[in-house]
Amino acid sequence: KGLVSKVDKYSYLHPNFNQTVTRTGRLSSSNPNGQNFPRSGTAPIKKLINSVLGFTVNADLSQIEWRNAGALSKDKVMCEELWHDFDVHSDRARRSFGGDQLDSHSKAFKAMRQASKTFNFRMIYGGTAKAFFYDGAMPDFPLQKYEEIVQDFYKKYKGLRSWQLANLRLLDKQKYLRSPSGRVLTFKYNSNPDDGALGYSPQQVCNYPVQSFSTDCMLVAMYEVYKKLIKYNLLSKVILQVHDSLVFDCPPDEVWIVSKICTDAFESIPALVKQHFGFDMGVPITCEVAIGRTYGDLKVEYKAKEVTYSTINTFVLFEMLTDCLKRLYVYHG
């Protein structure tokens, strides 16, 4: 029966959102899990989640965990690349995955860039050469090759690695870590060799601080969005929060203003973090906005700088005109 059994008599799903379940402070979702739909167009079920008011708007923080790894570690190279909007995934593809031998517009290069993106994000969470070697979705390189790639990553991002190791030492000393927001992060200590390596998990120690701080960034931004929705007395509704994104149901004449509210709130995260937590992030935050008729049909994705009155409303008007023409075609047979 799947999700059908969770639909109420009004054809709505009402997932629970739990505030005190995860160790990092992330919201979790249950009954059903509203945060577990696959990304992009890989989940046909998402096309059945229709907009009641007219349009679905998905506002997504762009690479927030990579940015926060730079903010927390103060790695000079990461921060410099973020300020200059440097494509770190294409760079890694060329440095380590053979992308320097390929046309940057080719499908092969895009596949290499995707592999390098996976690699980069796993590395901020303590990825290992052996894990990449055994992952069938990654390029088929020898273990020694992956060891060299990992070493090159840490050679480039020395500040990140120093911060990760410092957290491991601090955890051993005081048995917890604390995020810039004041959130206390605790970790399970494994004393049973049958359950894996003894001690604290290096991957969790790398993961939790970044994921937790990204959660805090989203929470302060959500509060700003909420205040604006109330201030302007909008009909638009927040229907989902998926870790680094907010999903709205909007009437046509509010798609633009909701997109702008989210863009402004997300880009103001460094100032909000400074205001609420007294922490200087030192990196820019940006976002992307996708719009469509259903949650599974988000046709167009706009970068923050592309979210303008004319751009958004042109798309909305075109969609509405297209719908009218389709109805006329059906009506007249």
Side-chain angles (χ1 to χ4, degrees):
K1 294 181 179 179
L3 287 177
V4 174
S5 64
K6 305 296 182 182
V7 177
D8 69 14
K9 63 181 180 180
Y10 302 107
S11 298
Y12 286 99
L13 285 172
H14 290 279
N16 294 327
F17 285 87
N18 315 301
Q19 294 181 324
T20 57
V21 173
T22 67
R23 286 176 178 261
T24 61
R26 260 188 173 186
L27 293 178
S28 67
S29 181
S30 57
N31 195 34
N33 188 342
Q35 299 174 321
N36 201 37
F37 297 111
R39 288 179 176 270
S40 303
T42 59
I45 192 72
K46 291 171 71 173
K47 292 189 176 183
L48 299 180
I49 302 177
N50 295 307
S51 167
V52 174
L53 300 176
F55 286 87
T56 300
V57 174
N58 186 93
D60 186 85
L61 282 166
S62 179
Q63 300 186 335
I64 185 62
E65 293 180 348
W66 180 267
R67 293 172 185 274
N68 278 341
L72 292 168
S73 67
K74 302 302 182 187
D75 185 289
K76 292 182 179 179
V77 175
M78 292 183 78
C79 293
E80 188 73 13
E81 288 176 340
L82 286 167
W83 278 111
H84 289 88
D85 200 22
F86 183 70
D87 188 343
V88 296
H89 307 313
S90 291
D91 178 62
R92 178 56 52 187
R94 295 187 182 98
R95 289 171 67 108
S96 304
F97 289 86
D100 56 328
Q101 305 296 321
L102 301 170
D103 179 352
S104 60
H105 300 290
S106 66
K107 289 184 178 180
F109 181 83
K110 291 179 180 178
M112 284 298 179
R113 186 186 180 280
Q114 183 59 45
S116 73
K117 182 177 181 179
T118 300
F119 172 84
N120 280 336
F121 277 96
R122 288 188 188 175
M123 287 303 294
I124 64 174
Y125 293 146
T128 65
K130 186 173 290 187
F132 292 122
F133 173 70
Y134 284 112
D135 186 345
M138 294 295 288
D140 185 20
F141 295 155
L143 177 59
Q144 183 179 355
K145 172 70 171 177
Y146 274 116
E147 289 173 346
E148 293 170 355
I149 296 174
V150 168
Q151 290 173 5
D152 185 66
F153 179 90
Y154 284 136
K155 183 178 179 180
K156 181 181 180 183
Y157 301 116
K158 295 177 183 178
L160 173 68
R161 187 53 175 163
S162 295
W163 175 74
Q164 291 174 336
L165 295 175
N167 279 339
L168 282 165
R169 292 192 296 269
L170 184 59
L171 181 61
D172 280 331
K173 179 180 179 180
Q174 65 182 23
K175 312 308 178 189
Y176 68 90
L177 297 176
R178 190 184 295 274
S179 74
S181 70
R183 188 189 302 279
V184 173
L185 302 173
T186 59
F187 301 79
K188 181 180 179 181
Y189 186 91
N190 180 34
S191 57
N192 184 354
D194 292 336
D195 293 334
L198 298 177
Y200 296 108
S201 163
Q203 285 71 38
Q204 289 183 357
V205 177
C206 293
N207 182 324
Y208 285 9
V210 175
Q211 189 179 105
S212 176
F213 187 51
S214 297
T215 297
D216 293 330
C217 288
M218 173 56 90
L219 290 176
V220 295
M222 286 172 65
Y223 181 55
E224 290 300 305
V225 170
Y226 169 76
K227 287 192 298 184
K228 292 292 178 60
L229 294 177
I230 298 300
K231 178 180 178 180
Y232 298 126
N233 195 30
L234 300 181
L235 297 176
S236 299
K237 306 293 184 183
V238 180
I239 60 173
L240 275 178
Q241 192 267 13
V242 189
H243 306 316
D244 57 358
S245 67
L246 291 175
V247 185
F248 298 81
D249 189 3
C250 303
D253 59 343
E254 292 184 6
V255 172
W256 142 248
I257 187 62
V258 168
S259 300
K260 181 61 174 172
I261 286 172
C262 289
T263 300
D264 289 347
F266 287 174
E267 292 198 317
S268 69
I269 282 175
L272 295 170
V273 166
K274 182 72 172 178
Q275 173 190 340
H276 292 290
F277 309 138
F279 179 73
D280 186 1
M281 294 182 67
V283 299
I285 303 297
T286 189
C287 70
E288 296 169 342
V289 175
I291 306 168
R293 286 296 199 177
T294 74
Y295 187 33
D297 191 27
L298 300 172
K299 296 181 179 179
V300 181
E301 188 170 81
Y302 300 99
K303 296 185 183 297
K305 62 184 179 182
E306 298 170 333
V307 177
T308 65
Y309 178 85
S310 60
T311 300
I312 301 300
N313 280 338
T314 296
F315 171 80
V316 170
L317 290 173
F318 179 80
E319 284 292 301
M320 295 176 68
L321 177 60
T322 301
D323 284 350
C324 287
L325 292 174
K326 286 180 179 178
R327 286 196 293 269
L328 284 173
Y329 178 81
V330 172
Y331 178 77
H332 289 290

